[in-house]
Amino acid sequence: MDCNQAIRVKPREARAYNDRAVAYPKLGQLDEAIRDFTRSLQLDSENAQSRANRGNAYLLQGKHSEALADYSQAVDFEPKYASAYSMLRGHVEVARGNFRQAIADYAVALALDPFNRAARSAQEEAREHLNSDFEVAAPAENVAQPPR
């Protein structure tokens, strides 16, 4: 059964909207993806996966504040969601030029998953930018802490 059919059969099934939304960015349809991720969250507001996925779509649109808000909420709902810190929150901060905060977010991801090679690599890259005096934003005042 395809996603459209699943939505017709069970229009209150959050996962069906999430699954359909995942396909839209590959088609260049980010607004449609955000619409379906939002609908999924209306049906299941604490779904960390849909929230992080919507953050991805916002990031692709260059909407850093919205992406960061979704990634942060995804972590609130699922504290061990290390990828939200490493690949998502950290990447948003790098895109904003906030290398100190990115390093802190990657550090949280590594505290949760010490073997996360992607987080370690991204953290090293952020450090290189910071050490090269490419930081364009003020240093982070609130360094992220691992969830308890």
Side-chain angles (χ1 to χ4, degrees), residues 64-129:
H64 299 144
S65 295
E66 292 89 340
L68 192 59
D70 272 348
Y71 297 149
S72 295
Q73 288 179 353
V75 170
D76 289 343
F77 292 127
E78 195 172 319
K80 299 295 181 188
Y81 200 49
S83 67
Y85 275 115
S86 62
M87 297 298 92
L88 308 174
R89 283 182 51 117
H91 285 350
V92 170
E93 295 298 357
V94 165
R96 296 169 116 183
N98 296 331
F99 299 111
R100 290 182 197 276
Q101 185 61 51
I103 291 165
D105 285 333
Y106 295 135
V108 170
L110 289 166
L112 296 170
D113 180 4
F115 301 105
N116 186 330
R117 291 182 193 168
R120 188 163 315 283
S121 175
Q123 186 182 50
E124 289 170 11
E125 275 188 45
R127 279 196 180 114
E128 287 174 18
H129 284 287

Side-chain angles (χ1 to χ4, degrees), residues 3-113:
C3 294
N4 291 327
Q5 186 178 5
I7 289 169
R8 279 192 298 279
V9 172
K10 292 186 176 183
R12 304 214 31 91
E13 181 67 37
R15 182 174 176 179
Y17 288 95
N18 179 77
D19 291 350
R20 183 172 72 178
V22 168
Y24 283 130
K26 296 171 188 158
L27 302 171
Q29 298 175 339
L30 296 174
D31 290 334
E32 290 82 355
I34 290 168
R35 183 196 66 224
D36 272 3
F37 288 132
T38 300
R39 180 65 181 137
S40 175
L41 290 166
Q42 289 169 341
L43 296 169
D44 181 4
S45 64
E46 295 185 9
N47 184 320
Q49 182 182 14
S50 290
R51 196 155 306 273
N53 286 341
R54 187 175 69 176
N56 292 341
Y58 281 136
L59 184 59
L60 289 170
Q61 287 186 327
K63 295 179 178 179
H64 299 144
S65 295
E66 292 89 340
L68 192 59
D70 272 348
Y71 297 149
S72 295
Q73 288 179 353
V75 170
D76 289 343
F77 292 127
E78 195 172 319
K80 299 295 181 188
Y81 200 49
S83 67
Y85 275 115
S86 62
M87 297 298 92
L88 308 174
R89 283 182 51 117
H91 285 350
V92 170
E93 295 298 357
V94 165
R96 296 169 116 183
N98 296 331
F99 299 111
R100 290 182 197 276
Q101 185 61 51
I103 291 165
D105 285 333
Y106 295 135
V108 170
L110 289 166
L112 296 170
D113 180 4

